[in-house]
Amino acid sequence: GEESRAAPIARNIVQSRPFSDTVDLADAVKAVVPYKEQIKCTARVFQALRIAVNNELEVLERVLDTAHALLAPGGRLAVISYHSLEDRRVKHMMKYGNLAGAPVQDKFGTLISPWRLVHKKPITASEAEVKVNSRARSARLRVAEKVPIDWAVYEEEKSFSEAIKVQRSSSRRRSAAPHRR
């Protein structure tokens, strides 16, 4: 997904099989990649294998899908991601309320999400932290708060967008100052 030379690398890996150890696999990757990019490309190939073998993305998606049901209204979800494939899923779930990254809007075009971002941008490690802990270089922390919804307000159809709309209109009425001429 993230490797621009995936096709030639995969082709050479298949042609070079069987491998006796990881050095053979690394050599198969390095054979089709320019010298300056060999370390990064090899690291990405091993990372992709780890992600696939451990089902890391599927597990993350299950956690993100169930987090909303597990948290109380106002509860916060904090997720640390270490690469762009994870971060994209976390960002989409927290911003749009779904893994596809498809914005859900009410009929007025207002974005509806079961989450409110606590920080607009991800929190990343400082230079001092990276000097002490080099693995923190790629870490991104995203935090979102579960939007409290009073489902009793909207009983006949428990759609998320309608409940949000009712919540917003009732809070606007309470907060609006009386109009004077």
Side-chain angles (χ1 to χ4, degrees):
E2 300 293 302
E3 177 55 56
S4 60
R5 290 182 167 75
I9 291 171
R11 211 173 3 263
N12 199 45
I13 287 173
V14 170
Q15 291 171 353
S16 302
R17 289 185 299 184
F19 301 118
S20 59
D21 57 18
T22 57
V23 174
D24 292 343
L25 175 59
D27 290 342
V29 173
K30 290 176 183 175
V32 293
V33 175
Y35 179 76
K36 287 184 175 183
E37 298 175 29
Q38 287 182 350
I39 293 174
K40 280 194 173 187
C41 284
T42 306
R44 280 193 295 257
V45 167
F46 279 94
Q47 180 183 41
L49 289 171
R50 188 200 73 228
I51 290 168
V53 167
N54 295 331
N55 291 322
E56 292 178 13
L57 298 178
E58 291 82 7
V59 170
L60 175 64
E61 289 174 2
R62 276 199 316 258
V63 168
L64 293 173
D65 277 337
T66 58
H68 191 266
L70 297 174
L71 283 174
R76 290 188 173 186
L77 174 66
V79 180
I80 300 174
S81 57
Y82 291 95
H83 54 80
S84 60
L85 293 173
E86 289 175 340
D87 191 55
R88 188 173 307 124
R89 284 165 173 77
V90 173
K91 179 176 79 172
H92 286 164
M93 180 57 80
M94 290 183 173
K95 187 172 183 180
Y96 303 116
N98 61 65
L99 292 167
V104 178
Q105 299 174 334
D106 63 13
K107 61 185 175 186
F108 303 108
T110 306
L111 183 66
I112 299 167
S113 175
W115 302 101
R116 181 188 65 79
L117 295 174
V118 175
H119 304 281
K120 197 168 191 166
K121 299 283 183 182
I123 299 169
T124 57
S126 66
E127 288 181 32
E129 170 71 17
V130 173
K131 283 182 183 175
V132 175
N133 177 10
S134 63
R135 292 179 182 183
R137 173 178 40 105
S138 59
R140 291 186 164 123
L141 172 66
R142 292 187 184 270
V143 183
E145 187 174 294
K146 182 177 177 178
V147 175
I149 300 171
D150 185 4
W151 289 109
V153 170
Y154 200 82
E155 286 182 12
E156 42 200 55
E157 184 186 334
K158 291 188 177 185
S159 77
F160 182 75
S161 60
E162 293 297 323
I164 288 288
K165 195 179 346 167
V166 171
Q167 287 284 101
R168 286 184 182 148
S169 65
S170 65
S171 66
R172 281 188 201 126
R173 272 185 251 130
R174 277 185 256 132
S175 63
H179 180 69
R180 295 185 184 165
R181 287 190 180 214

